[in-house]
């Protein structure tokens, strides 16, 4: 209870954040979110209806009074598009929080970091709490902080790839380089990937495809919940140093 994640004065109960894409329907989404124990649910504004309350709406299944809704600009390839959807979400009364994506390549879905920096600066000046999805480049992470980001969200691997944390060393450098929360976003495929991210010292993990694409999304959501908790506890506990040779578990001093 004394290990809270706080971003711009907002307190988060869970260090697992979940997405809402790729599920079979809104009911499966609801069940997976509940099983995850997450209190942050991110939604692609241009892909999932959270604005038009007259038609079927995700918010009929995910209660905004219970969860923090984090709009995102997934699918936006220009600064102008990203700004538009961020503003639409705020005008609809969803949130000042925005997970900012400016995609640079349709095949890899890697971010356009130049556009991301520009959009971050504009939205931060407009009072948004900007959480930019970026690559695992420590220099760009620092530039995003300078541009007004409230946290940085480096990818573990390409979106939806399930490859896990491909460059833990860059993630560690980012953690050392910025004084803001670091949230791994994209690439987590199974529970052990989430644990590794947390053991590195990341503040949270955002997962969508790793849960929604599993054979049993509800069970995987619960697995991810426990993985994030275990990883955070292990990080705080402090692992033993790695050694090339064995060290006896029991001391031999005083033995006959």
């Amino acid at each position: 209870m004394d290990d809270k994640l706080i971003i711009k004065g907002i307190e988060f109960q869970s260090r697992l954040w979940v997405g809402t894409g790729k599920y079979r329907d809104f009911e499966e989404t609801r069940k997976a979110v509940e099983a995850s124990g997450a209190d942050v649910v991110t939604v692609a504004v241009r892909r999932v209806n959270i604005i038009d309350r007259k038609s079927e709406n995700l918010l009929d299944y995910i209660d905004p009074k219970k969860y923090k809704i984090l709009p995102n600009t997934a699918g936006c390839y220009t600064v102008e598009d990203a700004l538009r959807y961020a503003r639409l979400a705020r005008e609809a009364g969803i949130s000042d929080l925005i997970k900012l994506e400016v995609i640079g390549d349709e095949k890899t879905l890697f971010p356009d970091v130049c556009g991301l920096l520009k959009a971050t600066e504009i939205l931060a000046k407009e009072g948004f709490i900007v959480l930019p999805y970026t690559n695992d480049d420590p220099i760009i992470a620092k530039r995003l902080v300078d541009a007004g980001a409230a946290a940085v969200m480096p990818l573990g691997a390409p979106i939806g790839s399930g490859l896990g944390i491909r460059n833990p060393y860059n993630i560690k450098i980012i953690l050392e380089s910025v004084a803001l929360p670091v949230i791994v976003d994209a690439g987590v495929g199974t529970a052990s990937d989430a644990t590794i991210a947390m053991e590195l010292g990341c503040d949270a993990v955002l997962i969508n495809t790793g849960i929604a694409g599993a054979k049993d999304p509800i069970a995987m959501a619960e697995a991810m919940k426990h993985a994030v908790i275990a990883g955070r506890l292990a990080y705080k506990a402090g692992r033993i140093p790695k050694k090339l040779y064995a060290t006896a578990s029991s001391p031999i001093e005083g033995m006959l």
Side-chain angles (χ1 to χ4, degrees), residues 50 72 81-82 84 96 124 134 136 190 235 240 243:
I50 57 171
N72 71 61
D81 260 3
R84 176 171 178 261
D96 286 335
T134 183
D136 59 0
T190 191
Y235 168 72
I240 64 170
K243 299 179 180 179

Side-chain angles (χ1 to χ4, degrees), residues 162-165 187-197 205 207 209-211 214 220 223-224 227-228:
L163 289 171
I165 312 301
V188 171
T190 191
S192 57
D193 299 333
T195 301
I196 288 169
V205 179
I207 306 170
T209 306
I211 296 174
M220 185 60 80
M224 294 294 191
V228 168

Side-chain angles (χ1 to χ4, degrees), residues 136-138 154-157 163-176 182 184 192-193 195-202 242:
D136 59 0
D137 181 345
L155 55 82
L163 289 171
I165 312 301
R166 304 316 299 159
N167 197 337
Y169 304 103
N170 270 25
I171 298 294
K172 289 181 73 171
I173 295 171
I174 291 173
L175 287 162
E176 294 173 0
V182 174
V184 163
S192 57
D193 299 333
T195 301
I196 288 169
M198 297 305 295
E199 287 178 346
L200 287 171
C202 294
K242 294 181 179 181

Side-chain angles (χ1 to χ4, degrees), residues 26-46:
F26 283 160
E27 181 59 23
E28 184 177 69
T29 307
R30 180 190 66 78
K31 290 178 179 178
V33 171
E34 287 185 355
S36 74
D39 64 334
V40 176
V41 179
T42 185
V43 183
V45 180
R46 69 180 301 166

Side-chain angles (χ1 to χ4, degrees), residues 116-132:
L116 185 66
L117 285 166
K118 182 177 179 181
T120 297
E121 185 173 10
I122 292 170
L123 291 174
K125 287 179 178 177
E126 293 181 8
F128 282 88
I129 300 171
V130 185
L131 312 176

Side-chain angles (χ1 to χ4, degrees), residues 15 36 69 71 75 100 109 136 139 151-152 160 168 180 185 207 218 221 233 240 244 254:
R15 292 177 183 269
S36 74
I69 306 301
L100 180 62
L109 300 181
D136 59 0
I139 305 304
V152 291
L180 294 178
D185 177 18
I207 306 170
I218 315 306
L233 286 172
I240 64 170
L244 183 61

